[in-house]
Amino acid sequence: MTAQPKTAPEQEPELPALPPVRAKLNQPKRALVAAAEVLVAAGLICLAFYLWPKGVATITTVLDDGRTLVSHRYYGHWMSLAIFSGTIAGVLVVDAIRQLVLAARARPKHRA
């Protein structure tokens, strides 16, 4: 077994200090983004109410003996588009609330 020669511990070079980053969360223009998101969400809700009835077809059949059979046929692609539209609208509303909170929140001033 051979011994390793002892060397001086290597020092890592010091990194320069990073400049201070100021968080820009509190911006009043976020209220405009929130308003736009609410408008898009309203349009998506209207689209969902338009698409949902297209996904259901009622079929009525009258038999020879006078009995009436009523059945419903569901079209998945229309219903899934309506559900997807409503889901995206919900996500947009949640994000609009977040944008409004960030637009209106006042940060306390630090005392030196």
Side-chain angles (χ1 to χ4, degrees):
M1 196 149 109
T2 59
Q4 295 285 335
K6 292 188 179 184
T7 59
E10 295 182 24
Q11 292 181 350
E12 293 184 20
E14 291 186 30
L15 297 175
L18 296 174
V21 178
R22 204 174 130 199
K24 292 192 173 196
L25 294 177
N26 185 14
Q27 297 175 353
K29 66 182 174 183
R30 287 181 181 261
L32 297 175
V33 173
E37 286 180 343
V38 168
L39 289 176
V40 172
L44 286 172
I45 292 294
C46 291
L47 180 66
F49 277 103
Y50 172 76
L51 292 174
W52 187 261
K54 290 184 172 291
V56 180
T58 303
I59 302 167
T60 305
T61 306
V62 179
L63 300 177
D64 292 335
D65 60 355
R67 289 186 294 164
T68 303
L69 300 176
V70 178
S71 60
H72 301 282
R73 182 168 180 183
Y74 297 101
Y75 297 100
H77 60 284
W78 291 112
M79 296 179 108
S80 63
L81 283 174
I83 292 169
F84 181 71
S85 175
T87 303
I88 296 300
V91 170
L92 283 175
V93 167
V94 169
D95 189 58
I97 292 170
R98 176 184 151 271
Q99 293 285 355
L100 280 175
V101 167
L102 290 175
R105 188 172 80 185
R107 293 184 176 264
K109 295 186 179 185
H110 298 287
R111 294 184 181 181

